[in-house]
Amino acid sequence: MQAGEITKYEYYITKGCLKVYTLDEDGTPHISMFAVEDYWTGDMASFMTREPSRYFIKATEDSELLGISRTNYDLLFQEIPKFERFYRILYQKSLISYIRRTNHGISLTAEERFVVFKRKYPSIVNRITQKDLAAYIGITPEFMSKIISKVNRM
Amino acid sequence: MQAGEITKYEYYITKGCLKVYTLDEDGTPHISMFAVEDYWTGDMASFMTREPSRYFIKATEDSELLGISRTNYDLLFQEIPKFERFYRILYQKSLISYIRRTNHGISLTAEERFVVFKRKYPSIVNRITQKDLAAYIGITPEFMSKIISKVNRM
DNA sequence: TAAAAGTCTTAAACTAGTTTATTTTTTTTC
DNA sequence: GAAAAAAAATAAACTAGTTTAAGACTTTTA
């Protein structure tokens, strides 16, 4: 998916790995999430508002996804109102975990953020490039390289 | 409200200003939001899970709030299921704007974050101390002082 | 399989922001 | 309205992370 397009589907990942990212004014990429098996992904803002997305989504390896269109998404609530409750709780939980995640990252150094990510998602670290990892942690690839060799030395 | 307590109410602010903050390991405060008239506040994570909150909430001036208890919140959905939809959409919108906000802040310098905040919430800037502003922007009070005098000079 | 393109490493010079310390200004309290 | 306490300003020394540049290693392509 390219920034500028309207997000037509929300995707559920059955196999593979995708990166969701934006480019800032300098063209520097910022990865907001790596989505692997059993994750949902897509730009919900664009999906809901039907405005162009600011995100790119690229598979970092061969992947298989299931997509739900906006029409079917709306139909779901219309046909089966019980899903309102399901999604109300799902979004509330997403909000809580998102707030927790961003708040937790605050006040940690890049090295600490990397160590936490590595401990929490060991399987993801080995599937992505160091450059993408740097774009996720929020530092330059050069500094990422330095951190990794330091952490490995310990 | 003190960290360690379980959040009993979600509050709607009719008058005043509150700061919502955490303390990190060093005891440095990080303000996650200033809540003024017409905002909702409270630690939703603690309110929902009934686990102790990590947040402090303090009024920065005399304030008036309306609170809804967890019991009444649950009752709302039970008695009037239409509120499920209302809250599903409310939480979805909160999620979208929260993601947008955090993503936007990325790659800006402290000075740029301050200028953006000042432009977006000019009325809040004048109601809070420089120290609290620093804790919100994510820098030391010393550097905040430097930035403000620089921006004023321009 | 050679060339091209991309990724990783290393290092030196630099910048945004912190730390520590001191002084000045403003606000609170009795 | 003086004393005490808190907030703000200034400045020098420091640190985490960036920039630029160049070489080594790895993957892709023709």
Side-chain angles (χ1 to χ4, degrees), chain B residues 122-133:
Chain B
S123 60
I124 294 184
V125 173
N126 305 317
R127 288 168 79 170
I128 58 181
T129 64
Q130 229 164 276
K131 217 178 153 193
D132 278 348
L133 190 54

Side-chain angles (χ1 to χ4, degrees), chain A residues 16-20 31 34-36 57-63 124 127-129 132:
Chain A
C17 180
L18 297 98
K19 57 180 176 184
V20 182
I31 295 181
F34 294 106
V36 293
I57 304 182
K58 235 179 226 171
T60 63
E61 55 188 70
D62 289 346
S63 304
I124 295 183
R127 289 167 78 171
I128 57 180
T129 64
D132 279 348

Side-chain angles (χ1 to χ4, degrees), chain A residues 129-131 141-142 145-146 149:
Chain A
T129 64
Q130 233 164 274
K131 216 181 151 191
E142 290 82 355
S145 167
K146 207 171 169 183
S149 75

Side-chain angles (χ1 to χ4, degrees), chain B residues 92-107:
Chain B
Q92 192 174 45
K93 281 189 175 156
S94 302
L95 190 55
I96 288 170
S97 80
Y98 194 84
I99 289 172
R100 240 178 219 165
R101 175 151 63 96
T102 55
N103 219 277
H104 185 74
I106 266 168
S107 89

Side-chain angles (χ1 to χ4, degrees), chain A residues 41-56:
Chain A
T41 196
D43 177 359
M44 195 164 73
S46 171
F47 183 73
M48 292 313 296
T49 62
R50 301 183 211 259
E51 285 167 17
S53 174
R54 302 163 198 190
Y55 290 90
F56 297 82

Side-chain angles (χ1 to χ4, degrees), chain B residues 5 10-11 23-24 45 59 61-62 68 70 73 77 110 118 120 124 143:
Chain B
E5 295 173 1
E10 287 280 281
Y11 295 102
L23 297 177
D24 65 21
E61 56 188 70
D62 289 345
I68 185 168
R70 180 63 199 281
Y73 175 88
F77 297 114
K118 196 181 165 183
K120 206 163 171 192
I124 294 184
F143 194 48

Side-chain angles (χ1 to χ4, degrees), chain A residues 32-146:
Chain A
S32 62
M33 75 179 297
F34 294 106
V36 293
E37 289 81 10
D38 201 32
Y39 274 63
W40 279 93
T41 196
D43 177 359
M44 195 164 73
S46 171
F47 183 73
M48 292 313 296
T49 62
R50 301 183 211 259
E51 285 167 17
S53 174
R54 302 163 198 190
Y55 290 90
F56 297 82
I57 304 182
K58 235 179 226 171
T60 63
E61 55 188 70
D62 289 346
S63 304
E64 285 173 16
L65 321 174
L66 304 171
I68 186 169
S69 70
R70 181 62 199 281
T71 313
N72 282 337
Y73 175 87
D74 288 342
L75 210 57
L76 183 68
F77 297 114
Q78 205 179 300
E79 299 287 308
I80 316 165
K82 284 225 163 156
F83 268 101
E84 294 282 10
R85 184 179 177 80
F86 176 80
Y87 271 88
R88 194 245 311 159
I89 294 166
L90 179 74
Y91 290 144
Q92 191 175 46
K93 281 188 176 158
S94 302
L95 190 57
I96 289 170
S97 80
Y98 194 84
I99 289 171
R100 240 179 218 164
R101 175 150 64 95
T102 56
N103 218 278
H104 185 75
I106 265 166
S107 88
L108 295 184
T109 63
E111 183 177 328
E112 291 166 327
R113 261 150 31 226
F114 166 62
V115 170
V116 168
F117 181 73
K118 196 181 167 184
R119 194 176 54 226
K120 206 162 170 192
Y121 306 102
S123 59
I124 295 183
V125 173
N126 306 315
R127 289 167 78 171
I128 57 180
T129 64
Q130 233 164 274
K131 216 181 151 191
D132 279 348
L133 191 54
Y136 178 82
I137 297 289
I139 55 175
T140 58
E142 290 82 355
F143 194 49
M144 188 79 250
S145 167
K146 207 171 169 183

